[in-house]
Amino acid sequence: MDKLTQMKCDACHSGAPKVTIDEMEIYHKQVLNWVIIERESVQRLERVYKFKDFVSALSFTQKVGRLAEDEGHHPAILTEWGSVGVAWWTHKIQGLHRNDFIMAAKTDEIYKDFANS
Ligand SMILES: C[C@H](O)[C@H](O)[C@H]1CNC2=NC(N)=NC(=O)C2=N1
């Protein structure tokens, strides 16, 4: 199984396939801190990251935003004092695509720079 952090997102299009249950299980093993949750009939990946203050939370948010722009795939983000909630799903297919697991893994990589601060 290739590492999600080394993959690039595919261009999103409405005909793109959602991940199968088997793929979901395989990919989820690399992003175990994320939950797969269905909201308004759309499956998504969600994780809440903790920070020492708002400035750190905002800095992390900006880095995730830059990653999203670089990959052309964007999250829902809730930035608060001390925490940032991130959700990944693919709007075009109203569900989970491999892109979302790639982005969750890359979001975890960004957090490594903050985890011990
Ligand atoms: C035109 C643009 O690339 C597309 O609309 C992209 C933008 N970012 C996206 N992000 C997410 N999460 N899902 C999408 O379907 C999506 N589509």
Side-chain angles (χ1 to χ4, degrees), residues 31-100:
V31 285
L32 287 173
N33 289 316
W34 293 75
V35 293
I36 298 173
I37 188 168
E38 185 168 312
R39 295 185 193 280
E40 297 168 8
S41 305
V42 177
Q43 275 194 315
R44 66 203 58 212
L45 285 163
E46 292 188 2
R47 181 177 178 183
V48 177
Y49 295 92
K50 295 300 182 187
F51 298 89
K52 64 183 178 179
D53 52 27
F54 187 75
V55 169
S56 305
L58 195 54
S59 173
F60 172 77
T61 300
Q62 288 165 325
K63 290 178 185 293
V64 175
R66 169 50 49 210
L67 168 70
E69 281 297 294
D70 292 348
E71 294 277 357
H73 200 70
H74 303 83
I77 300 180
L78 176 60
T79 301
E80 302 173 273
W81 194 102
S83 78
V84 177
V86 184
W88 290 104
W89 74 96
T90 300
H91 302 265
K92 285 235 177 17
I93 63 173
Q94 287 295 287
L96 285 172
H97 184 275
R98 186 181 71 172
N99 287 353
D100 300 300

